Amino acid sequence: MTLPYNFSPGPAMLPPEVIEHIRADLPEWHWHGIGQGASVMEVSHRGKAFEQLMAEAEADLRELLAIPANYQVIFMQGGAWAQFAAVPMNLLRADETAHYVVSGGWSKSASIEAAKFGRVEVVASSESAGYTRVPARNDWLSTYGINSAIRPIDEGASPSSYTYVCSNETVFGNEVHTLPEALASPLVVDASSHFLSRPMDVAACGLIYAGAQKNIGPAGVTVVIVRDDLLDRAPKNIPSVFHYKHTIEHKSLFNTPPVFSIYATALTLKWIKAQGGLAEMERRAVARSTLLYNAIDNSELFNAPVETADRSRMNVVFDTGNADTDAAFVKFCDARGLMSLKGHRVRGGMRASIYNAMPLAGVEALVAAMREFEATLA
Ligand SMILES: Cc1ncc(COP(=O)(O)O)c(C=O)c1O
């Protein structure tokens, strides 16, 4: 069976080897070769095998990202939207302000959600530029960084609880390629749509979270990595399922976890390790995205609006400048087995989501379709 190349932004393509493993394992889950008598969706999350699976998933994640010992790994539910709320619930102190860098719709939504819980200030935004770039580093680092020589925190301003950034804006296709260091408050990163596509400096962050459904698994589980010293900030009255320390104390098993999502994520982590880890994921991401951006830049028809330095390696946004031509191109691709290239409804145009599981051949097929389509218009 030949399937189309799937450019869906999420839920997104998983490695075929992982899908095949799941298919074979579906009637009866085998944990390290031992049949469990039922599928993974039908056994207790408190059984030894599932507890071991979670411990192994955490160990694999720690190894892949070189997570320092003073960080905890949590598996939570509710997607990134739950984290939009959980982050301020746990970290935003009553007499402090949360500082948000807005580089797209997701970080904007996160800032609006956080404002339900306390004081929020948008430090820098690229909204007026149509999110075609990440706000210039000096706009926000100089304001709230320790090295804030340019515009120090105003006298009397409330201290910063954390600085928030979305390191890959899925809809608009911009990516923070290097995380800032030496901020005045802990950096909180929504890494959902490029998580594990590259090595990441965990020690530069206070908290990182990522919904699984782009790069590492099916929807349903969100990975949270949080530094120990931030865990005692949470007030006692927040709901148990949002409480980081409480969740950690229960080893992410306070209530029934999304067992299938965690299982499939655990398999994907093993797949990433077997492929050569995050250095190899990054090499592939660079190869795929360079090929596609070069094809767009060298074409007369297509245009990539995001500034070169901030272009996402995962979500390549492009258009022809004409909505009808965009729609015709998406249809042309569909007929060639290149699916889900339509851009997000708020952005329009096209978006090719090329996560870890996308083979280079998929991008080569897309580039060939772009050339063919352009030739039909000549
Ligand atoms: C970067 C980013 N943050 C947050 C979200 C929201 O995720 P969820 O729908 O899982 O809550 C998405 C969804 O695509 C996303 O791409």
Side-chain angles (χ1 to χ4, degrees):
M1 179 176 57
T2 309
L3 291 171
Y5 288 115
N6 178 5
F7 294 91
S8 170
M13 163 172 198
L14 287 170
E17 295 91 332
V18 170
I19 297 289
E20 182 49 36
H21 188 128
I22 293 170
R23 192 194 63 74
D25 234 10
L26 206 51
E28 184 181 16
W29 174 38
H30 285 74
W31 174 242
H32 288 300
I34 299 168
Q36 301 297 310
S39 83
V40 75
M41 294 167 281
E42 302 165 303
V43 295
S44 172
H45 57 291
R46 302 204 186 277
K48 211 177 182 102
F50 200 80
E51 279 192 0
Q52 281 176 3
L53 177 136
M54 286 187 68
E56 247 178 59
E58 176 176 338
D60 287 340
L61 195 63
R62 283 187 177 278
E63 187 183 327
L64 282 166
L65 276 169
I67 299 176
N70 61 326
Y71 284 74
Q72 303 290 329
V73 173
I74 330 179
F75 299 101
M76 295 182 83
Q77 302 191 59
W81 269 98
Q83 296 307 313
F84 292 175
V87 165
M89 276 193 225
N90 282 269
L91 304 186
L92 177 51
R93 294 187 174 118
D95 54 348
E96 295 185 347
T97 302
H99 292 107
Y100 279 70
V101 176
V102 170
S103 52
W106 293 121
S107 38
K108 187 174 179 182
S109 294
S111 71
I112 293 168
E113 197 71 358
K116 294 176 181 171
F117 301 96
R119 202 166 344 159
V120 164
E121 192 183 321
V122 173
V123 190
S125 168
S126 54
E127 186 170 12
S128 61
Y131 299 126
T132 52
R133 58 180 175 79
V134 173
R137 199 54 70 87
N138 270 348
D139 286 356
W140 48 294
L141 258 194
S142 59
T143 310
Y144 292 101
I146 288 175
N147 308 323
S148 52
I150 302 170
R151 203 189 116 198
I153 297 174
D154 303 329
E155 293 237 346
S158 66
S160 179
S161 278
Y162 60 85
T163 304
Y164 181 103
V165 67
C166 173
S167 51
N168 189 76
E169 278 284 356
T170 325
V171 172
F172 291 89
N174 65 54
E175 182 168 358
V176 177
H177 288 290
T178 319
L179 290 173
E181 287 170 26
L183 286 167
S185 63
L187 184 63
V188 172
V189 183
D190 174 0
S192 294
S193 51
H194 72 164
F195 194 55
L196 305 191
S197 70
R198 61 195 309 166
M200 195 171 178
D201 184 5
V202 176
C205 308
L207 185 147
I208 302 165
Y209 69 83
Q213 70 268 23
K214 281 103 171 47
N215 249 337
I216 60 165
V221 64
T222 305
V223 173
V224 179
I225 301 166
V226 56
R227 208 173 60 209
D228 283 341
D229 62 289
L230 300 177
L231 293 172
D232 286 324
R233 289 192 189 191
K236 294 239 168 347
N237 62 350
I238 65 174
S240 303
V241 290
F242 286 114
H243 197 294
Y244 293 139
K245 193 171 184 185
H246 179 265
T247 311
I248 291 161
E249 282 165 359
H250 288 82
K251 296 190 161 110
S252 301
L253 290 169
F254 167 63
N255 66 329
T256 314
V259 285
F260 180 79
S261 303
I262 293 174
Y263 154 80
T265 297
L267 294 179
T268 309
L269 296 177
K270 297 224 177 288
W271 178 85
I272 295 173
K273 277 175 63 177
Q275 301 301 302
L278 299 190
E280 177 60 13
M281 292 301 111
E282 182 170 35
R283 189 195 66 74
R284 293 181 192 182
V286 169
R288 285 188 303 262
S289 56
T290 305
L291 178 65
L292 187 47
Y293 283 119
N294 282 346
I296 296 166
D297 290 343
N298 292 329
S299 119
E300 297 284 312
L301 178 65
F302 297 104
N303 170 52
V306 176
E307 286 183 14
T308 313
D310 294 335
R311 285 177 172 177
S312 168
R313 292 174 184 161
M314 299 283 103
N315 309 101
V316 177
V317 166
F318 61 111
D319 58 46
T320 65
N322 177 307
D324 292 336
T325 313
D326 289 345
F329 177 64
V330 169
K331 208 166 156 199
F332 182 87
C333 288
D334 265 338
R336 275 161 186 71
L338 305 169
M339 69 181 259
S340 296
L341 283 161
K342 192 167 183 282
H344 190 276
R345 63 187 182 284
V346 304
R347 168 64 187 76
M350 280 76 70
R351 170 176 49 171
S353 294
I354 46 176
Y355 299 118
N356 284 352
M358 175 60 69
L360 189 63
V363 179
E364 287 168 346
L366 173 57
V367 168
M370 288 165 63
R371 294 208 178 107
E372 248 187 82
F373 181 77
E374 196 165 346
T376 64
L377 301 184

